[in-house]
Amino acid sequence: ESLGISSYKAVSIGNGERKIVFKSRKMSSLIDLAIHLGQVDSTVLIHGETGVGKDLIARLIHDCSSRSHSGKMVKINCAAIPQTLIESELFGHEAGAYTGALNNGKEGFIELSHQGTLFLDEITELSLGMQSKLLGVLQDREVIRVGGRKGKYVDIRVIAASNQNIEQKVNEGVFRKDLFYRLNVIPLEVPPLRDRKIDIPALFVFFCKHLEKKYQINMNIKPEVVNQLLWYSWPGNVRELESLVERLLITVPQKNITSDCLPYPYAEKAKKDKQTLKGMLEQYELELICETLKLCETNTEAAEKLGISLSSLRRKIRNLKDIPAN
């Protein structure tokens, strides 16, 4: 309760199989916008570091659209498919188009996303040649299979994502300017975890509950563990946090998980610099109070939600100064 983990928000996606968990204003605004974008068919370009959950935002947009009933969301990780195969995977191929091609031909990912959503993750990994072919599809809504001559109409909504600075890639000449403008109709930025640390306790608890159910275990996580994680910069973002939670639940032999169980580098800096940790905790506490006050109609209600006395809340409110927006 003291960490404010009882009032986080969660949005289900993919038939309830996955959830987006958040508490910060930044993520709340992003979720609201993503839900709204489900009502239109505009092309969306999602920016964000590795591990922030760009694919979850894309899935939310698709789930909130009418396309979730008429088609499916087809995800292609452009960095995971070898360049020698990506044209065939995207556009499909006709029978006998090349050595090893299927006798009956094959639909590509673009055709499979007909009346649905095509999600192109790590879009900057496409070669200039493939970028040109993709631009043709976006302009004409027509796909020609490898080895084919006749185009086929496709009704698709495109969402692209990248962890790279695409405008810089355009300036470097490795990403087509016309494709960038075609994709960048509505840009979305998913903030890194270090810029929304108020989400960390909620995410930590959510992952704990999910993994305890998955592995049928029951561990006691001390609040000091989450407190210790607030100083960390999280270069791997939410994905890194989820991996850490699983590591703790699986590898710690005792039932009680304390801050001493945290491996390097999650505890190293906090042990060396307790003043930094103290400052981070104070900042988090003030941010949490701000969030709670916005959700509650009275200070009494806010104090109850925070699990502190009304006099303590009033004293803390007097210290609210220069709190960065979250």
Side-chain angles (χ1 to χ4, degrees):
E1 290 283 340
S2 62
L3 292 172
I5 58 179
S6 62
S7 58
Y8 66 78
K9 301 176 184 177
V11 176
S12 297
I13 57 174
N15 296 322
E17 297 172 1
R18 304 172 73 184
K19 291 182 184 294
I20 303 176
V21 173
F22 60 98
K23 190 177 178 66
S24 64
R25 293 195 299 276
K26 285 184 178 180
M27 283 303 294
S28 182
S29 297
L30 178 63
I31 297 301
D32 289 343
L33 179 55
I35 292 172
H36 172 69
L37 291 177
Q39 312 307 310
V40 296
D41 229 16
S42 303
T43 302
V44 178
L45 182 57
I46 305 174
H47 303 267
E49 297 177 5
T50 297
V52 294
K54 297 185 291 294
D55 59 329
L56 299 183
I57 299 299
R59 171 62 67 177
L60 177 61
I61 294 172
H62 172 76
D63 285 355
C64 293
S65 72
S66 59
R67 290 181 176 274
S68 63
H69 304 293
S70 60
K72 56 186 176 181
M73 187 178 96
V74 178
K75 176 183 176 181
I76 304 123
N77 187 329
C78 300
I81 303 175
Q83 290 298 315
T84 53
L85 298 176
I86 196 159
E87 182 175 6
S88 175
E89 292 296 311
L90 276 174
F91 293 86
H93 63 260
E94 297 290 1
Y98 56 88
T99 302
L102 297 177
N103 292 332
N104 297 325
K106 177 186 175 184
E107 287 182 308
F109 288 128
I110 295 175
E111 283 186 66
L112 290 173
S113 60
H114 178 62
Q115 293 187 323
T117 301
L118 178 66
F119 177 43
L120 297 167
D121 198 11
E122 305 305 340
I123 184 74
T124 54
E125 296 302 315
L126 290 179
S127 66
L128 286 170
M130 285 306 304
Q131 291 175 33
S132 178
K133 290 178 181 292
L134 176 61
L135 179 62
V137 173
L138 297 181
Q139 290 174 336
D140 304 329
R141 299 299 178 187
E142 188 176 81
V143 61
I144 301 177
R145 293 185 182 183
V146 175
R149 296 183 178 180
K150 186 177 180 181
K152 180 178 180 180
Y153 170 73
V154 284
D155 172 18
I156 58 174
R157 194 253 181 97
V158 174
I159 300 176
S162 178
N163 60 8
Q164 304 289 320
N165 185 327
I166 302 185
E167 291 187 76
Q168 181 179 334
K169 295 291 183 181
V170 170
N171 293 333
E172 293 171 357
V174 294
F175 198 86
R176 292 181 63 104
K177 182 183 293 186
D178 46 5
L179 178 58
F180 170 66
Y181 290 131
R182 178 71 64 170
L183 294 172
N184 198 44
V185 178
I186 300 179
L188 291 184
E189 182 78 31
V190 185
L193 191 56
R194 64 179 174 275
D195 288 346
R196 50 184 175 102
K197 291 193 174 183
I198 197 169
D199 289 335
I200 291 176
L203 287 163
F204 191 95
V205 171
F206 172 77
F207 291 141
C208 279
K209 289 180 179 178
H210 171 73
L211 293 168
E212 283 179 337
K213 182 178 180 180
K214 177 180 178 180
Y215 294 120
Q216 309 233 320
I217 55 177
N218 185 19
M219 305 293 282
N220 181 24
I221 311 287
K222 298 296 184 182
E224 65 189 56
V225 176
V226 181
N227 292 343
Q228 192 109 314
L229 298 177
L230 296 176
W231 67 269
Y232 185 61
S233 61
W234 297 103
N237 293 291
V238 179
R239 188 181 301 147
E240 182 182 3
L241 177 59
E242 182 178 12
S243 296
L244 173 63
V245 173
E246 183 167 5
R247 178 177 177 181
L248 290 173
L249 292 180
I250 298 302
T251 62
V252 175
Q254 67 266 26
K255 185 178 178 64
N256 292 324
I257 298 179
T258 66
S259 58
D260 292 333
C261 301
L262 287 171
Y264 176 86
Y266 304 100
E268 189 65 19
K269 184 175 179 181
K271 289 177 180 177
K272 290 180 179 179
D273 193 349
K274 294 195 175 181
Q275 184 58 42
T276 298
L277 176 60
K278 181 175 182 292
M280 287 296 299
L281 292 176
E282 289 175 350
Q283 178 181 335
Y284 170 76
E285 181 184 63
L286 293 177
E287 290 174 354
L288 179 58
I289 290 172
C290 279
E291 295 284 346
T292 305
L293 288 171
K294 289 180 179 294
L295 295 173
C296 299
E297 294 183 0
T298 65
N299 286 354
T300 301
E301 182 186 351
E304 291 177 357
K305 188 176 286 291
L306 290 165
I308 61 177
S309 67
L310 182 58
S311 60
S312 294
L313 176 60
R314 286 172 175 164
R315 184 172 61 254
K316 293 177 183 296
I317 288 176
R318 287 196 293 268
N319 296 325
L320 291 177
K321 295 179 181 178
D322 303 322
I323 302 174
N326 235 350

